[in-house]
């Protein structure tokens, strides 16, 4: 600094006379001691200097040296100038000693708490009034509030820990999924508590609990004791849950649909000589074919299980092969998850039903003999091994069908947030990948595993693959009302027959439906889809009536029979338009604007030609309705049965079986200047009558888009909130 430099030198006229030399060593030593006690400003450096010379500026090294006053002797005394005070000696920071490494590992010491972070806190975004992880960047933040999108903007100025706008959105989705799972578990526990007595008391005199009919009192008491002790049944494997409720029984299936339960089930069938009974419908030697091309084991029965049927190719009046002179340029597959275990409450209902039959039946005639020692081994909600194979085969089939596109590209994949849906998407991509490796084994560009965008399914989230936002729709129960009408007609004769066969059981009509449900669920719980002995308890006609019962539930619950059914599929219909036309999504219904406005989470570039979305049967039913695929189907009769031949191909088993899939194709054909659109549902070509389909069921892309005016105009979305 300039001021410091000025202070380095004293004025020249200040002359200091040299001190007289002392010959007394003691005196000299004393003088030196006094000098050492003086401040640094009093230390003098005595040097010889010519009168004509001015002192040179001190070297910078002087600042780094520790100075000490040393008297310099001269034989000839000469006038000396007062030396400039030296720079203050540098005081080095004390050297930190390296601590001796501890002799014990850190694991032997207690944890050190220094953080004050509240892990349960939910930081709020004040302008929107929402928790920070629920802020919709596009809806809640204006364009002027997104400086990170400006050219040259440093993302780290706005996002911490390596996040950017896309990964932050994905992180928020993941957090919401975790919260949703916790909420669902809490809800299920509350339902369990309500179902089994609410307070969880262990009174042995508790009245029968609502929801499960006449569950044996000992099972009710076991459930009440379990809840009272703080055990959450939702956190348990279902086999363990049933073992606790029936401690005297063995082999309830340790892993739900896992290997132990399946092995027990197969052993039961082997011990019973195939299916354990003689039946005119099912042969004990019946061998089910491989499911690559669908489930065709006894189709006169297995193709009439409604939405619980495994996938099978539906007969098509129009050839479903690629027409001559055409090349496919785009494909969107919309798929249901694969075969699964019953839902949690349903699996409790089925287990209770089996126990009631075993407890109350006086005799077990030949067809029912397997029930005497039958152990319920089904889990809940999870994809079965059979279901995983269904989706694996679906991925392989998709690759081979569209090999011209698939050989050089991979699908962009989305899945609803439930575990079985995500697992289905993974199995599909695995099958696709394996087929691709077999076709091009040296292709290193595949980058497997493929990314899967999971979209949460909680009630507050926009998701075109899962309904939940339309309040008026969620509150009605038109599907169940329609089913009840038909149930009162077809079920009583079946129920009377079963009650005669199993005297003492006294089943209700709904019990009969649940007993029929066990046929498909017990079948798909086996590795190969071996037909369950439950299937032969009913005739072919009764299975057709059962299938119609399920079809009524879908049609009046989620399709054209419900005035807001098609509305639930509008968002996906508008996304399909955007993908086919490579233009931004235009929608104000269930579309997630944050995801669909990003090329990372909703790509629309010309390079992306394959899309794969995974959802549920109810949502697919609404999407088909929004697209008008079954507009030619007349309202289903609630009092008289009509098969798919009478309903223009509509039934639950033909539209949304397990592993159902719809292909939306765009193709360029020599005979047309414009691109053509064709739709297949479970291998059946759906004639696009709304847009003037040709003989092959196709129409031009512009006409197809025009025919979707219901979706483009909002699909009665405003009615959801009146």
């Amino acid at each position: 600094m300039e001021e410091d430099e000025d202070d380095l030198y004293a004025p020249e006229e200040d002359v200091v006379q040299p001190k007289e030399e002392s010959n007394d060593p003691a005196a000299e030593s004393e003088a030196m001691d006094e000098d050492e006690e003086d401040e640094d400003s009093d230390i003098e450096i005595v040097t010889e200097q010519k009168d004509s010379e001015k002192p040179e500026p001190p070297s910078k090294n002087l600042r780094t040296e520790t100075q000490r006053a040393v008297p310099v002797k001269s034989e000839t005394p000469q006038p000396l100038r007062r030396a400039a005070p030296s720079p203050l000696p540098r005081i080095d920071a004390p050297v930190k000693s390296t601590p001796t490494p501890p002799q014990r590992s850190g694991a032997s010491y207690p944890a050190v708490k220094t953080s004050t972070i509240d892990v349960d806190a939910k930081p709020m975004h004040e302008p929107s009034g929402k928790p920070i992880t629920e802020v919709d960047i596009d809806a809640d933040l204006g364009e002027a509030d997104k400086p990170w999108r400006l050219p040259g903007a440093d993302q780290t100025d706005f996002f911490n820990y390596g996040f950017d706008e896309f990964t932050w959105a994905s992180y928020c989705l993941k957090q919401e999924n975790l919260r949703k799972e916790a909420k669902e578990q809490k809800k299920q526990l509350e339902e369990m508590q309500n179902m089994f007595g609410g307070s969880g008391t262990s009174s042995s005199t508790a009245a029968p609990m609502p929801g499960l009919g006449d569950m044996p009192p000992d099972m009710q008491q076991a459930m009440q004791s379990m809840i009272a002790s703080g055990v959450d049944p939702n956190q348990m494997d279902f086999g363990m849950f049933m073992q606790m409720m029936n401690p005297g029984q063995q082999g309830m299936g340790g892993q739900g649909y896992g290997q132990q339960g399946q092995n027990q089930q197969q052993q039961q069938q082997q011990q019973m000589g195939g299916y354990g009974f003689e039946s005119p419908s099912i042969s004990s030697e019946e061998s089910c074919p491989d499911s690559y091309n669908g489930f065709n084991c006894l189709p006169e029965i297995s193709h009439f299980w409604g939405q619980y049927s495994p996938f099978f190719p539906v007969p098509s009046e129009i050839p479903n092969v690629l027409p001559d002179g055409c090349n496919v340029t785009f494909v969107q597959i919309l798929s249901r998850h694969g075969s699964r275990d019953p839902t949690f409450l349903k699996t409790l209902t089925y287990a209770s039903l089996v126990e009631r039959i075993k407890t109350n039946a006086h005799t077990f005639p030949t067809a029912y003999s397997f029930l005497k020692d039958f152990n319920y081994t089904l889990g809940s909600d999870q994809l079965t091994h059979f279901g995983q194979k269904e989706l694996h085969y679906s991925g392989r089939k998709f690759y081979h069908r569209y090999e011209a596109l698939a050989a050089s590209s991979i699908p962009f994949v989305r899945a609803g947030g439930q575990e079985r849906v995500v697992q289905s998407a993974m199995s599909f991509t695995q099958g696709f990948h394996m087929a691709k490796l077999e076709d091009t084994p040296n292709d290193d560009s595949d980058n497997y595993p493929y990314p899967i965008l999971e979209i949460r399914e909680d009630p507050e989230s926009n998701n075109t693959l899962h309904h939940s936002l339309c309040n008026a729709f969620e509150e009605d129960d038109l599907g169940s009302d329609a089913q009840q009408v038909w149930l009162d007609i077809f079920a009583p004769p079946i129920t009377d027959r079963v009650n005669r066969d199993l005297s003492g059981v006294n089943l209700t009509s709904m019990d009969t439906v649940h007993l029929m449900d066990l046929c498909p669920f017990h079948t798909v719980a086996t590795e190969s889809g071996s037909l369950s002995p439950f299937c032969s308890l009913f005739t072919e006609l009764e299975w057709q009536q059962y299938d119609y019962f399920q079809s009524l539930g879908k049609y009046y619950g989620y399709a054209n029979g419900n005035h807001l059914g098609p509305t639930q599929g509008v968002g996906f219909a508008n996304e399909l338009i955007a993908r086919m036309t490579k233009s931004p999504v235009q929608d104000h219904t269930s579309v997630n604007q944050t995801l669909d406005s990003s090329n990372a989470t909703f790509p629309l570039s010309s390079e992306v030609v394959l899309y794969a979305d995974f959802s549920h049967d109810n949502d697919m039913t609404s999407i088909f309705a929004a697209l008008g695929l079954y507009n030619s189907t007349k309202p289903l009769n609630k009092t008289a049965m009509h098969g798919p031949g009478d309903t223009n191909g509509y039934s639950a088993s033909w539209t949304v079986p397990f592993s159902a899939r719809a292909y939306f194709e765009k193709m360029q054909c020599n005979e047309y200047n414009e691109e053509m659109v064709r739709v297949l549902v479970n291998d059946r070509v759906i004639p696009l009558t709304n847009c003037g389909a040709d003989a092959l069921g196709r129409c031009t892309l512009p006409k197809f888009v025009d025919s979707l005016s219901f979706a483009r105009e909002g699909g009665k979305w405003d009615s959801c909130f009146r």
Side-chain angles (χ1 to χ4, degrees), residues 632-648:
S632 59
T633 298
K634 296 179 180 179
L636 298 188
N637 193 320
K638 301 175 186 178
T639 59
M641 181 177 66
H642 295 283
D646 302 322
T647 61
N648 288 308

Side-chain angles (χ1 to χ4, degrees), residues 517-560:
D517 289 346
L518 283 170
C519 163
F521 279 121
H522 198 233
T523 296
V524 301
T526 63
E527 186 78 25
S528 60
S530 299
L531 282 174
S532 166
F534 286 99
C535 301
S536 271
L537 299 181
F538 309 96
T539 67
E540 293 180 17
L541 174 60
E542 289 167 349
W543 282 118
Q544 294 172 19
Q545 294 170 329
Y546 171 87
D547 186 67
Y548 193 66
F549 171 81
Q550 303 293 3
S551 299
L552 287 169
K554 297 305 175 190
Y555 183 82
Y556 286 100
Y558 300 92
N560 297 38

Side-chain angles (χ1 to χ4, degrees), residues 182-192 194 234:
K183 185 186 300 183
E184 286 181 346
Q185 290 176 354
K186 181 179 179 181
K187 178 181 177 182
Q188 285 187 351
L189 180 58
E190 291 174 350
E191 290 176 349
M192 291 284 292
N194 292 334
N234 298 302

Side-chain angles (χ1 to χ4, degrees), residues 82-128:
R82 180 181 176 89
S86 70
L88 293 176
R90 187 186 69 180
I91 302 176
D92 293 329
V95 178
K96 296 182 179 178
S97 61
T98 304
T100 304
Q103 299 302 313
R104 296 183 298 172
S105 70
S108 62
Y109 294 91
V112 179
K113 181 178 180 181
T114 60
S115 175
T116 59
I117 295 176
D118 181 2
V119 296
D120 294 321
K122 294 186 70 174
M124 300 296 294
H125 179 251
E126 297 298 338
S128 65

Side-chain angles (χ1 to χ4, degrees), residues 372-425:
K372 185 175 182 179
D373 299 312
F374 183 83
N375 288 331
Y376 186 85
T377 61
L378 301 182
S380 65
D381 291 299
Q382 298 301 307
L383 195 68
T384 66
H385 291 167
F386 181 86
Q388 292 176 8
K389 288 174 60 178
E390 283 181 304
L391 268 297
H392 178 90
Y393 287 137
S394 177
R396 295 178 70 92
K397 185 174 181 178
F398 184 78
Y399 176 86
H400 290 306
R401 180 177 177 84
Y402 302 109
E403 186 173 344
L405 292 178
S408 58
S409 59
I410 61 174
F412 177 80
V413 184
R414 301 187 305 177
Q418 287 198 20
E419 183 178 359
R420 63 179 177 267
V421 182
V422 176
Q423 287 182 345
S424 294

Side-chain angles (χ1 to χ4, degrees), residues 569-591:
V570 164
F572 182 90
N574 286 326
E575 287 181 330
L576 180 63
I577 293 173
R579 286 173 167 177
M580 282 189 161
T581 60
K582 298 299 181 182
S583 59
V585 180
Q586 302 295 325
D587 182 86
H588 64 274
T589 63
S590 59
V591 161

Side-chain angles (χ1 to χ4, degrees), residues 17 190 229 363 404 454 467 646:
Q17 298 298 328
E190 291 174 350
S229 63
T363 59
E454 300 180 31
H467 68 90
D646 302 322

